């Protein structure tokens, strides 16, 4: 998706310019705020989960979209992936320190919204 783009790294003390399409920070924000990225980060906030557990906890996500979203979040350093060499392979995902830091405001937003809604409002 970002082939052909030249990414500019921010130097020491310099901030990324998120209004440029070639900004790495913009890519990470796009992945976090994607339709499924938010839900993956929220689902992993309390514990590490295996692929099928994530799929079960996020209703409406297909295996393809979950795999794609996880690949992006792992690539961004927000989620870690551990594969146990069993048959079939046992794959577990969890939040990195960066992922917990980024996911904290999303969790707060989610909690605020759910507290404001009464059980009958949906």
């Amino acid at each position: 998706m970002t082939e052909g783009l030249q990414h500019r790294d921010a130097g020491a003390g310099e901030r990324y310019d998120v209004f440029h399409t070639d900004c790495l920070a913009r890519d990470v924000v796009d992945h976090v705020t994607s339709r499924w990225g938010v839900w993956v980060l929220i689902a992993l906030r309390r514990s590490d989960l295996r692929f099928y557990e994530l799929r079960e906890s996020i209703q409406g996500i297909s295996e393809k979209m979950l795999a794609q979203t996880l690949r992006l979040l792992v690539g961004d350093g927000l989620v870690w992936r551990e594969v146990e060499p069993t048959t079939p392979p046992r794959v577990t995902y969890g939040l990195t320190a960066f992922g917990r830091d980024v996911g904290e405001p999303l969790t707060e937003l989610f909690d605020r919204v759910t507290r404001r809604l009464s059980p009958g409002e949906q």
Side-chain angles (χ1 to χ4, degrees):
M1 281 186 241
T2 58
E3 291 177 9
L5 294 178
Q6 293 181 352
H7 294 287
R8 295 181 312 118
D9 290 332
E14 208 178 317
R15 294 184 57 94
Y16 287 98
D17 187 352
V18 295
F19 294 104
H20 285 190
T21 58
D22 63 347
C23 178
L24 288 172
R26 184 175 180 161
D27 289 342
V28 173
V29 170
D30 285 346
H31 299 157
V32 168
T33 60
S34 70
R35 178 174 183 184
W36 299 112
V38 170
W39 297 114
V40 168
L41 293 176
I42 289 173
L44 290 172
R45 70 185 173 187
R46 290 198 179 112
S47 66
D48 306 336
L49 297 172
R50 292 181 59 195
F51 184 88
Y52 80 90
E53 293 171 321
L54 268 170
R55 190 186 67 227
E56 293 294 317
S57 69
I58 306 171
Q59 293 185 4
I61 193 169
S62 68
E63 283 191 27
K64 178 183 174 185
M65 286 309 303
L66 179 57
Q68 182 179 346
T69 302
L70 285 167
R71 196 174 307 115
L72 291 170
L73 296 175
V74 167
D76 292 336
L78 297 162
V79 171
W80 56 261
R81 177 181 190 262
E82 179 181 72
V83 181
E84 294 179 40
T86 59
T87 305
R90 184 181 179 127
V91 183
T92 305
Y93 295 90
L95 294 178
T96 63
F98 181 38
R100 282 190 300 278
D101 189 40
V102 169
E104 188 176 319
L106 298 175
T107 298
E108 289 175 21
L109 174 65
F110 176 77
D111 290 343
R112 285 180 188 208
V113 169
T114 55
R115 277 194 308 265
R116 289 287 297 211
L117 295 176
S118 67
E121 295 179 48
Q122 291 175 347

